[in-house]
Amino acid sequence: MLVHAHGIAVSLPSGWDARIRWAQPAETAAPPALRLPGVAVPSDGTTNTVTHIANFRLPERRGDYGSRAVDLMRSRHVFAALVEFDPEAAETPLFGTAGVPRVRAARFSPNAMQRVMPRMCGAQWFFHVSDRAFCLYGVLGSHAMRRALAAQLDGVVSRILIAPR
Amino acid sequence: MTILVVAESIALALLTVLVVSLLRSHAEILRALHDLGVSLDPSQPAAARTFDLRDTATRPHTKHSDPKPGPLSDVFDLMGTTPDGEVAAIAVANSDGPTLLAFLSSGCLTCRDFWDMLGRGETIELGGRDASVVALTRGPGDESPAEVAALTSSSLTTLMSSEAFEDYGVPVSPYFVLIDGGRVVGEGAASSWVQLRNLLGKAVADGAHGRTRRELLSGRLRAALVDADLRAAGIGPDHPSLRPDQQDH
């Protein structure tokens, strides 16, 4: 199933949900758990996109980085949030990596979650595509099964296409 | 010689049909690529993983999921927008647990009770499992997002999608479809919550005998069932009651 909006296209396998919306301008550009010391992320109030993909039914109320959705996850579930930042951020070193990243199990850690949850793990990537800056935040329902789950998530993330704004 | 000419003519005709089919398929592929904004212009530099999309924020592109194999491929994943404008794709065909699709509208008074019940978290239980609920209205071109937003609740998954009404052949609102294991196990119109529970309860019971309501309603098994009932009553194809002209003699 193909879902696309605002220049972002996601090709979903059977059994996956996806949501794409405009996010409200935030006072902080990154959640506290992911903010890097000494790094300033441009935030001029531009309305940016938030994309959520998951292999489980997404709840209606969700935070940009998946709060409330992550609470529903079981061991076989995966979730990813693709959060867009202001265009100026694409020129900063933090977002210097070009292209949608590959999701590898080795990047996931129980300590890399926005909120540490038992037996789960998370990972984040910062990158730019088509002069647009993004943070990809992935959550796996089981750290023990991260190889299989990361491969599932990579299969979907690798098919994300992003056009210029 | 004549036979040879005829054989060659037949082969030529078959080849012509094949070529036309291939050209048509190629045209459809090109059209789909164009809709995705993929440029096939060789003069443009290759840009992996980037492409030019037309703005489709107000017109979500609908693609059906591959139907489950079997004689009744009548379960479709959902695609549309939420009342607040979020583009949403919701898996139904291969989702965990049963799903209740509630086809409602903002204009029908009978729907108001269902909006209230579903907004409070009411659902249908199937084999000890609560069905997850998706409330559906027609798309923003046919329904007012503001009016739908006023009826739904923040906890109720609500999708505006005219395509869903077409996919499921919904004849009227309110209308309900219960899906489990990739199959429609019950469906129908109901004017009250009690009536809905009774309707779907019977449908589930029918499903326990290997037949779904959709199978019965669509007639694909109905003919076989009718024949079986007639034979059980001693009425076969040669029964006199089926030949009124012979009865007159």
Side-chain angles (χ1 to χ4, degrees):
Chain A
M1 183 162 53
L2 179 69
V3 55
H4 57 97
H6 315 310
I8 297 172
V10 184
S11 179
L12 293 173
S14 181
W16 285 64
D17 279 18
R19 303 291 187 103
I20 306 175
R21 69 170 189 253
W22 291 115
Q24 295 301 317
E27 292 181 0
T28 55
L34 300 179
R35 191 182 301 131
L36 301 179
V39 176
V41 180
S43 178
D44 62 1
T46 303
T47 302
N48 298 310
T49 62
V50 174
T51 302
H52 289 163
I53 55 176
N55 63 351
F56 58 96
R57 180 68 51 81
L58 288 169
E60 287 309 293
R61 287 180 289 191
R62 308 177 307 280
D64 287 352
Y65 290 88
S67 58
R68 295 200 181 95
V70 171
D71 297 337
L72 303 176
M73 292 178 65
R74 299 184 185 259
S75 59
R76 65 184 183 282
H77 290 153
V78 299
F79 169 86
L82 184 66
V83 180
E84 185 172 8
F85 289 75
D86 292 343
E88 293 74 18
E91 301 171 3
T92 63
L94 177 61
F95 296 91
T97 302
V100 178
R102 299 304 300 268
V103 175
R104 301 301 186 202
R107 284 290 293 267
F108 285 86
S109 165
N111 299 320
M113 295 186 63
Q114 183 181 22
R115 178 166 52 94
V116 176
M117 299 185 70
R119 294 179 293 279
M120 295 170 63
C121 56
Q124 61 171 333
W125 298 260
F126 295 89
F127 61 96
H128 71 272
V129 174
S130 300
D131 297 323
R132 301 171 71 173
F134 293 91
C135 170
L136 176 68
Y137 175 58
V139 179
L140 306 181
S142 167
H143 184 60
M145 297 196 298
R146 59 190 179 279
R147 281 186 179 273
L149 296 176
Q152 277 188 48
L153 184 57
D154 184 61
V156 180
V157 169
S158 64
R159 289 185 280 181
I160 292 176
L161 298 177
I162 300 172
R165 288 179 74 132
Chain B
M1 182 65 180
T2 304
I3 295 175
L4 187 62
V5 171
V6 169
E8 284 182 343
S9 300
I10 293 173
L12 186 62
L14 290 174
L15 284 173
T16 303
V17 170
L18 178 62
V19 169
V20 169
S21 300
L22 287 173
L23 287 173
R24 185 173 179 180
S25 170
H26 185 65
E28 289 179 359
I29 291 171
L30 289 177
R31 189 180 306 118
L33 288 173
H34 180 70
D35 287 340
L36 286 172
V38 176
S39 172
L40 299 178
D41 185 353
S43 64
Q44 290 185 2
R49 303 156 76 83
T50 64
F51 60 101
D52 179 28
L53 270 180
R54 284 173 290 171
D55 180 17
T56 57
T58 56
R59 185 175 55 84
H61 193 82
T62 300
K63 285 290 186 186
H64 294 158
S65 62
D66 291 335
K68 290 182 68 70
L72 297 172
S73 301
D74 54 4
V75 177
F76 299 96
D77 289 333
L78 306 173
M79 178 85 75
T81 57
T82 63
D84 58 4
E86 185 176 58
V87 175
I90 299 175
V92 173
N94 283 334
S95 66
D96 294 337
T99 302
L100 176 67
L101 306 183
F103 293 88
L104 306 173
S105 77
S106 62
C108 88
L109 294 178
T110 310
C111 297
R112 297 297 171 102
D113 289 340
F114 289 106
W115 283 115
D116 291 339
M117 297 288 282
L118 296 174
R120 289 200 299 265
E122 290 286 341
T123 185
I124 298 294
E125 184 184 301
L126 185 65
R129 301 166 296 154
D130 286 341
S132 63
V133 180
V134 180
L136 292 137
T137 72
R138 292 193 178 274
D142 299 309
E143 284 268 12
S144 164
E147 291 184 11
V148 174
L151 289 168
T152 188
S153 74
S154 57
S155 60
L156 174 62
T157 299
T158 304
L159 198 65
M160 303 184 71
S161 172
S162 298
E163 288 85 354
F165 277 70
E166 294 169 12
D167 288 343
Y168 286 93
V170 175
V172 67
S173 297
Y175 194 83
F176 301 87
V177 177
L178 182 62
I179 296 168
D180 190 26
R183 304 174 74 206
V184 175
V185 297
E187 67 178 293
S191 58
S192 70
W193 191 256
V194 172
Q195 186 182 25
L196 173 63
R197 292 171 69 100
N198 290 338
L199 169 74
L200 294 180
K202 291 177 185 175
V204 171
D206 283 340
H209 295 285
R211 305 191 303 257
T212 68
R213 294 288 286 182
R214 177 151 289 209
E215 289 173 354
L216 296 173
L217 293 172
S218 67
R220 278 177 266 198
L221 291 185
R222 186 168 54 199
L225 292 171
V226 169
D227 287 343
D229 290 341
L230 289 172
R231 280 195 297 273
I235 301 175
D238 297 326
H239 195 270
S241 65
L242 301 177
R243 299 178 185 279
D245 54 334
Q246 293 182 1
Q247 292 179 16
D248 294 338
H249 302 295

